[in-house]
Amino acid sequence: MTMKYLLLAISMFITLNNCTSPALHGGDSPQLGTSLAGNQTIMSKNGTFALGFFSPRGTKNWYVGIRYAGVSPKVIVWVANRDNPVRGIVGVLKFSSDGRLRLFDRKGRSVWSPDICVKGWWAVLKESGNFIMMGHSHNKSVIVWESFDYPGDTWLPGMKMWKGMKLTSWKSSVDPATWLFSVGIDMSPRKTQMVMAYNSSVPYWSSGEWTIKSYNDTTAALNKLPTTLETEETQVWREGNDVRWSSS
């Protein structure tokens, strides 16, 4: 009888191990068949960014987000399921063997996925904060999906903005849901300018149309800017081609 129960226990152990995905936790490049849950994270190569679950204080909602690592309080720069939180208990992010990346709640319901048609061979969290999925095309590795193409409320260095893309505000400091204020490139086919809008339809600020002349004029003005310009309330200074400012 003892041997019978021992064999049964070994059989159950093997079955459970076969049903559980290896953890994504640790490196910057999750592989097929791995998963992320709880306080596990994916770290960019030099530890600048981390991808993992977070729950805003005072709520029971869980989100998968990218944040600056080692910064307290947490600075979230991108949220995968911002409009569809996992409620109550933290979910599981799976990079399944078929190449699909999906977020599930604890009941096994799919909560978020980049795109039903997107399948990758591997993924990586870059030092820029961009989370990308890689696939193959004509024997070459190509990007099939990247978080930079789906910005939230934060514009990170290296992120490109195209027509149709926009940054949208959080609903509140504890609710990352898409809310009323946005900034993006004017959708008018005859204009190229940045526009801030209310409710995605009522513009209340624009940068003015970008043209070669306006670009050259701006560049010339920046080149004439002194190294430091200071008033009682604001300090402006130039570092190479960058203009930086601070306000007291």
Side-chain angles (χ1 to χ4, degrees):
M1 292 295 289
T2 303
M3 181 60 68
K4 178 180 179 181
Y5 286 120
L6 178 60
L7 292 174
L8 178 61
I10 292 173
S11 176
M12 290 178 65
F13 176 78
I14 293 173
T15 301
L16 287 173
N17 272 310
N18 287 338
C19 293
T20 304
S21 299
L24 290 172
H25 185 56
D28 64 343
S29 302
Q31 304 298 314
L32 295 178
T34 54
S35 63
L36 186 80
N39 61 356
Q40 297 172 338
T41 57
I42 300 169
M43 299 291 293
S44 61
K45 185 176 181 179
N46 295 327
T48 302
F49 291 95
L51 183 150
F53 285 92
F54 74 96
S55 180
R57 185 167 48 186
T59 76
K60 294 183 179 180
N61 295 331
W62 288 91
Y63 303 88
V64 171
I66 297 173
R67 59 179 171 82
Y68 281 103
V71 175
S72 183
K74 292 180 180 179
V75 178
I76 308 296
V77 299
W78 182 80
V79 183
N81 56 317
R82 64 183 299 189
D83 293 313
N84 196 17
V86 176
R87 304 187 187 278
I89 302 175
V90 64
V92 180
L93 182 67
K94 292 185 177 182
F95 193 20
S96 58
S97 57
D98 65 357
R100 294 185 62 189
L101 184 69
R102 288 176 289 186
L103 172 62
F104 296 94
D105 64 16
R106 283 299 180 176
K107 293 184 178 181
R109 294 175 296 199
S110 180
V111 174
W112 172 85
S113 180
D115 191 302
I116 195 170
C117 297
V118 169
K119 292 185 178 181
W121 288 102
W122 57 281
V124 61
L125 178 60
K126 306 290 285 186
E127 267 297 294
S128 61
N130 191 15
F131 184 59
I132 65 176
M133 292 178 64
M134 303 295 298
H136 290 298
S137 177
H138 303 292
N139 297 320
K140 293 183 179 180
S141 293
V142 295
I143 296 175
V144 296
W145 181 88
E146 57 184 310
S147 60
F148 270 16
D149 282 346
Y150 302 88
D153 70 331
T154 304
W155 195 346
L156 292 171
M159 184 182 292
K160 296 179 181 179
M161 190 75 72
W162 311 99
K163 285 202 173 188
M165 294 172 60
K166 59 185 177 182
L167 305 178
T168 51
S169 62
W170 282 27
K171 187 174 182 179
S172 72
S173 61
V174 295
D175 187 349
T178 305
W179 201 232
L180 297 176
F181 296 94
S182 64
V183 58
I185 297 179
D186 195 332
M187 289 298 292
S188 171
R190 297 185 179 181
K191 291 184 178 181
T192 304
Q193 61 181 359
M194 295 292 289
V195 174
M196 289 185 178
Y198 173 77
N199 203 24
S200 297
S201 60
V202 184
Y204 62 90
W205 176 88
S206 67
S207 64
E209 190 167 359
W210 297 336
T211 63
I212 295 298
K213 183 178 184 303
S214 65
Y215 174 82
N216 290 337
D217 289 346
T218 301
T219 303
L222 293 179
N223 289 335
K224 293 178 181 178
L225 189 71
T227 303
T228 302
L229 176 64
E230 189 169 355
T231 67
E232 292 183 359
E233 297 182 349
T234 304
Q235 183 182 28
V236 183
W237 69 96
R238 178 162 53 88
E239 294 182 5
N241 293 325
D242 297 328
V243 177
R244 305 182 185 277
W245 66 277
S246 65
S247 182
S248 59

